[in-house]
Amino acid sequence: MKVLPVPCLEDNYAYLVFDEETGDAAAIDPVWPDQVLQAAQLNGAKVKMVLTTHHHWDHAGGNNGMKKHLKDVPIYGGVKDKVEGCSHPVQHGDEFSISPTIRVKCLETPCHTKGHISYFITSTLEGDKPAVFTGDTLFIGGCGRFFEGTPDQMYNSLCKTLASLPPETQVYCGHEYTQKNLEFALTLEPKNEALLKKMEWVMHQRKQKLATVPSTIGDELEFNPFMRVDLKPLQLATGRHSPLEVMAEVRRMKDNYKGR
């Protein structure tokens, strides 16, 4: 199983997930169809399906374009979301295959949008790491704004659904927001060693204009403030006590954060 990020727009990521043996591939949030299909061709991948995390234009806006290039290509999206071109609505727990060895499980991760889906993709081949494509629910070091949901929903999406995945699961998010997310996280936990180490690596990557994806679920639990709302350091930093109060306050603080 190979994962190929395809930068799109200003800071979006589309992805190709494909079987290197068969070439069978899924395109995830291909907002720029031409670039995604060109990347597929260069890598010997054949797009068999489109997986859409949520209905926002910068994620779903290429779906009809993909249909023009690939007649009858199935478009997957959340049953509770109004995803452009969706032919295969999915809900929590639905499963299907990209290839004989690559399997997809749909996870409902609402809040950014009410029908947001994260796609947990695994391979039966030894050495292939599981991956989750989190759209705008989980970012590296952050999370999406609560446009259509509540702190309770984001808590369940991040701290229960996604946190329950194997710690080695590779996290592929929808945007390159990592540097600013970690700058904010350091205002809450300035002595967090995992966070400081990650920030140093991210600064190195960005100076070279390189991507910061993927992270892992295990790493996010070490430094992402939105996945640490159960913990004392975040309670102290926010002056709140219950995880839901901390989640709401961290989001409020992040929304108002102007940067360094």
Side-chain angles (χ1 to χ4, degrees):
M1 182 173 86
K2 184 171 182 178
V3 177
L4 181 67
V6 182
C8 298
L9 303 173
E10 184 178 345
D11 52 34
N12 278 70
Y13 288 118
Y15 296 97
L16 288 165
V17 182
F18 60 96
D19 186 320
E20 291 186 285
E21 291 292 326
T22 67
D24 294 337
I28 300 174
D29 290 351
V31 64
W32 278 355
D34 290 343
Q35 284 81 350
V36 170
L37 291 171
Q38 182 180 34
Q41 185 178 22
L42 289 171
N43 286 273
K46 306 182 293 280
V47 175
K48 300 292 188 181
M49 63 187 69
V50 172
L51 311 182
T52 312
T53 59
H54 63 294
H55 67 79
H56 289 163
W57 174 85
D58 60 327
H59 296 262
N63 288 356
N64 287 335
M66 293 292 286
K67 281 187 171 182
K68 288 179 182 177
H69 288 286
L70 303 170
K71 186 180 178 182
D72 299 326
V73 67
I75 309 281
Y76 292 80
V79 69
K80 298 175 185 176
D81 244 19
K82 295 180 179 179
V83 168
E84 178 181 300
C86 183
S87 60
H88 288 61
V90 295
Q91 58 190 346
H92 190 76
D94 285 353
E95 297 190 30
F96 49 90
S97 295
I98 298 172
S99 77
T101 60
I102 299 176
R103 191 85 177 150
V104 180
K105 183 174 183 178
C106 302
L107 306 175
E108 286 186 354
T109 51
C111 183
H112 185 70
T113 67
K114 65 182 179 181
H116 194 293
I117 298 289
S118 296
Y119 296 96
F120 179 56
I121 304 183
T122 56
S123 166
T124 59
L125 298 181
E126 187 177 352
D128 283 350
K129 295 178 181 178
V132 64
F133 296 83
T134 57
D136 287 3
T137 292
L138 172 62
F139 297 129
I140 300 176
C143 74
R145 290 177 181 261
F146 301 179
F147 286 138
E148 298 179 15
T150 64
D152 180 59
Q153 286 179 311
M154 189 57 86
Y155 178 77
N156 285 325
S157 293
L158 295 180
C159 302
K160 293 187 177 180
T161 301
L162 294 175
S164 70
L165 298 177
E168 68 273 16
T169 301
Q170 308 284 289
V171 175
Y172 292 95
C173 57
H175 290 270
E176 183 56 68
Y177 290 164
T178 308
Q179 184 174 335
K180 289 186 177 180
N181 284 343
L182 298 190
E183 285 178 5
F184 169 71
L186 282 165
T187 69
L188 301 174
E189 291 192 275
K191 296 182 180 180
N192 181 322
E193 290 296 331
L195 177 54
L196 289 164
K197 184 177 179 180
K198 185 70 173 184
M199 186 60 165
E200 182 180 359
W201 178 83
V202 166
M203 294 292 287
H204 177 75
Q205 290 290 102
R206 297 311 294 157
K207 281 180 181 178
Q208 299 181 74
K209 301 188 184 306
L210 298 175
T212 63
V213 291
S215 180
T216 69
I217 290 295
D219 286 346
E220 292 302 309
L221 291 167
E222 292 293 321
F223 59 71
N224 187 325
F226 294 95
M227 296 189 79
R228 294 170 58 79
V229 296
D230 297 281
L231 303 178
K232 195 73 172 178
L234 271 297
Q235 295 170 357
L236 291 172
T238 59
R240 302 293 189 269
H241 300 290
S242 77
L244 298 187
E245 289 174 334
V246 176
M247 178 68 77
E249 181 62 10
V250 174
R251 184 68 261 172
R252 186 196 68 78
M253 294 169 72
K254 179 65 167 63
D255 289 347
N256 293 323
Y257 180 66
K258 303 302 182 185
R260 291 197 284 194

